[in-house]
Amino acid sequence: MCQHDDLEDFARRSSELTRRQFGALALGAGLVAALPKLVNAAETKGADVEIKTPDGTADAYFVYPAKGKHPGVLIWPDIFGLRPAFEQMATRLAESGYSVLVVNPFYRTKKAPTAADHADFNDPATRQALMTLAGTLSPATADIDAKAFVSFLDTQPAVDGKRKMGTTGYCMGGPFVFRTAAKYPNRIGAGATFHGGGLVTDKPDSPHLIAIAENDDKRQPEAKDVLRDSFAKAKLPAEIEVYAGTQHGWCPPDAQVYNHDQAEKAWSRMLALFSSSLA
């Protein structure tokens, strides 16, 4: 779902990282563990799950507060797929009072992990493998998966079916957020995307985004204006912001371009959105 040019530009930016930034990647799990701990975090339970779809069996991770029913949230990961960093992000969200499903969007091709730890998108073989995986997805597969994943959440005892559901996506996952919301407008109460790719196109099924990386904005500066106009015409509230100093992919803590301060800002805005909208 990310456009080819978006991913090629990401590869170029990856090659410009400093030696110090690459050294930070060697911390691996330490980056994930460095996510700020929530004060009064809810105790959570999490497990790997399998979800039947018309196209096969999707592997995913489901995590939720140990007590009570809570709004469901569906997370669409970036092109590097379901991995410990996203399981940690899902757990952190569950600690804030949500029942969270993060999925492997490439289940039709292979089970997670679908990329090596700290995979380098600038490596030709890695890039080709990831692009091939991304090429297996389409608006049609997004509709199929949205139905299966939303239905799964709605059958879980830990999900409060009387409250709206949220969805969030990163990079390649961004378009899935809006396709899910469009398919289930009466069920999805809020959507948040961060450094989404291919979200404003010249195609009739062009999706849209909320949060924009600064260098994405420089590449497509008109996108934010198209988005604001589209949401205004639809009479839907939206927060559309260019995050200063960020590069495409800045949110996941294992990303080569992870920006802690702006990722925390994005996280806080997402929590504010879900708190106000998932009633």
Side-chain angles (χ1 to χ4, degrees):
M1 299 296 293
C2 276
Q3 291 180 317
H4 183 271
D5 289 345
D6 294 326
L7 295 175
E8 290 295 331
D9 195 37
F10 177 67
R12 177 186 59 78
R13 294 195 296 268
S14 295
S15 69
E16 295 169 354
L17 294 173
T18 67
R19 185 186 299 260
R20 182 177 180 182
Q21 287 172 304
F22 273 115
L25 294 178
L27 295 174
L31 275 175
V32 177
L35 283 175
K37 298 297 183 182
L38 179 68
V39 177
N40 299 322
E43 179 185 353
T44 63
K45 294 182 178 180
D48 296 327
V49 297
E50 293 186 338
I51 302 169
K52 297 292 185 181
T53 84
D55 291 341
T57 301
D59 48 315
Y61 183 73
F62 181 52
V63 57
Y64 51 92
K67 298 179 181 179
K69 293 178 175 286
H70 306 272
V73 175
L74 171 60
I75 297 180
W76 301 95
D78 59 24
I79 197 171
F80 296 102
L82 176 60
R83 57 190 190 277
F86 270 89
E87 292 180 3
Q88 177 66 18
M89 292 165 70
T91 300
R92 188 185 182 197
L93 190 53
E95 290 174 344
S96 293
Y98 299 93
S99 296
V100 186
L101 180 70
V102 57
V103 301
N104 169 21
F106 303 123
Y107 69 88
R108 294 171 178 83
T109 304
K110 62 187 298 188
K111 289 185 176 297
T114 53
D117 289 346
H118 308 306
D120 181 5
F121 196 77
N122 197 51
D123 172 68
T126 298
R127 181 168 65 251
Q128 182 57 50
L130 292 174
M131 292 290 289
T132 298
L133 282 174
T136 65
L137 305 179
S138 67
T141 64
D143 285 350
I144 289 170
D145 292 347
K147 180 178 181 179
F149 299 150
V150 168
S151 296
F152 171 86
L153 282 169
D154 273 335
T155 63
Q156 301 308 304
V159 173
D160 187 348
K162 296 180 180 179
R163 299 180 66 179
K164 295 285 189 177
M165 189 179 295
T167 181
T168 182
Y170 299 79
C171 182
M172 179 198 74
F176 295 127
V177 168
F178 285 88
R179 297 196 189 284
T180 303
K183 188 174 181 66
Y184 295 100
N186 296 322
R187 189 69 189 92
I188 302 299
T193 86
F194 301 99
H195 45 79
L199 296 170
V200 174
T201 72
D202 58 1
K203 297 180 180 179
D205 62 352
S206 172
H208 295 82
L209 76 164
I210 292 175
I212 308 168
E214 184 176 51
N215 59 353
D216 285 333
D217 180 61
K218 290 179 180 178
R219 182 177 180 276
Q220 195 180 13
E222 73 282 1
K224 59 183 179 296
D225 299 321
V226 172
L227 294 167
R228 291 191 181 104
D229 184 59
S230 296
F231 279 105
K233 287 180 178 178
K235 294 181 170 55
L236 292 172
E239 179 179 295
I240 301 164
E241 180 176 353
V242 176
Y243 280 58
T246 61
Q247 296 189 58
H248 181 76
W250 90 87
C251 283
D254 64 344
Q256 295 177 348
V257 293
Y258 177 60
N259 185 315
H260 175 271
D261 291 347
Q262 292 290 45
E264 286 303 296
K265 177 182 177 181
W267 189 267
S268 69
R269 297 310 302 150
M270 179 179 67
L271 287 181
L273 172 67
F274 287 170
S275 178
S276 64
S277 301
L278 304 186

